[in-house]
Amino acid sequence: MHRTIFTDLTFDLSGEWSMTFVNGQHQDRGQQFKRPRGLAFHLDKLVVCDSGNNIVQILNKDYTCDKVIGSFDGQFAKPFRPRNVAISRFNHYFILDDENKQIVVCDENGKIIQIITLPENTERVWDIALMDDFVLVTLRLTSPDTSVRPEDRGDRLVKYTQSGEYLAEVNGQIRGQGQFKWPESVVVNSNNVIMVYDKGNGCIKCFDSDLNFLHQFGQSQLPRGILGYGSIAVDEDDNVYVCDVSDRIVKFRCDGKWICNLLEGNVSRPRYIAVMGDKIGVVELNSDQIKVFSK
């Protein structure tokens, strides 16, 4: 039996938001969240990549732990290190394994369905998203062969089928748009527009389902401040939420028009984010807890 302990501290923020601190604790291991990374709302659950404990926790709506994914000891070359997760309409969990540079596809009980192996020269992995029957991953390739062109071993967005077949990729080398620099996050909206948070360039680059470039927006649309740090999320209305270096969440329309800034003074160095309905989940940099804001 597993559980998650959360601090019973909920209060009103500016008359609009209430906040709950969630400090995951795995009963058998006796540890709180340790370096939580990607998170996702799924139905009435909150799914957290508890990377320091090498598990994924599935939390109920009261933030108690319902299930744990991660009993893969001895099955992989290195310890399982979940960085981000996406859940399919069939309730399959696509977990980006940072340490083994692979995607572990399993059910909510941790039964492995398949493993999607990323390229051998994968140096870093960042994020994962699902679109129809496809998988999108942002990663960095490297090569000891100096004859390989930089654009062939750099940061990129890669598209696979959900069965693991490689289809296409883009490295951001788009005319007039420059190359990806730390594409830390990828999301897909209801119109199958793929949005990649290009952290190094302070913008969100948008592509169609075939990875054709559409447009970009971000830092230049802000009335003040700069974007930085981590991930992005989209809501049911296709609004885009961006973790901002200025200790806030920035909200854009899908066409890139700035809407407002959220949670200023209530988040510090936000790093990972998930949005669903009237809830926003945030992991702050170097924090072992999650803040869940709700209206």
Side-chain angles (χ1 to χ4, degrees), residues 81-98:
R81 190 68 53 82
R83 183 180 180 100
N84 266 301
V85 60
I87 303 100
S88 77
R89 62 183 183 275
F90 302 111
N91 206 37
H92 292 166
Y93 286 67
F94 287 69
I95 305 169
L96 193 58
D97 180 0
D98 193 6

Side-chain angles (χ1 to χ4, degrees), residues 265-278:
N266 296 294
V267 290
S268 176
R269 307 177 79 185
R271 183 68 177 79
Y272 297 93
I273 185 172
V275 175
M276 187 178 74
D278 59 356

Side-chain angles (χ1 to χ4, degrees), residues 1 11 13 22 36 73 111 127 142 159 183 197 225 250 280 291:
M1 182 68 180
F11 54 94
L13 302 175
V22 182
D73 295 343
K111 180 181 178 181
D127 201 6
T142 188
K159 180 181 179 182
Y197 182 26
V250 180
I280 300 177
K291 291 179 178 179

Side-chain angles (χ1 to χ4, degrees), residues 4-20:
T4 292
I5 294 176
F6 64 97
T7 304
D8 187 14
L9 178 58
T10 303
F11 54 94
D12 186 65
L13 302 175
S14 303
E16 297 182 0
W17 296 92
S18 62
M19 179 174 70
T20 300

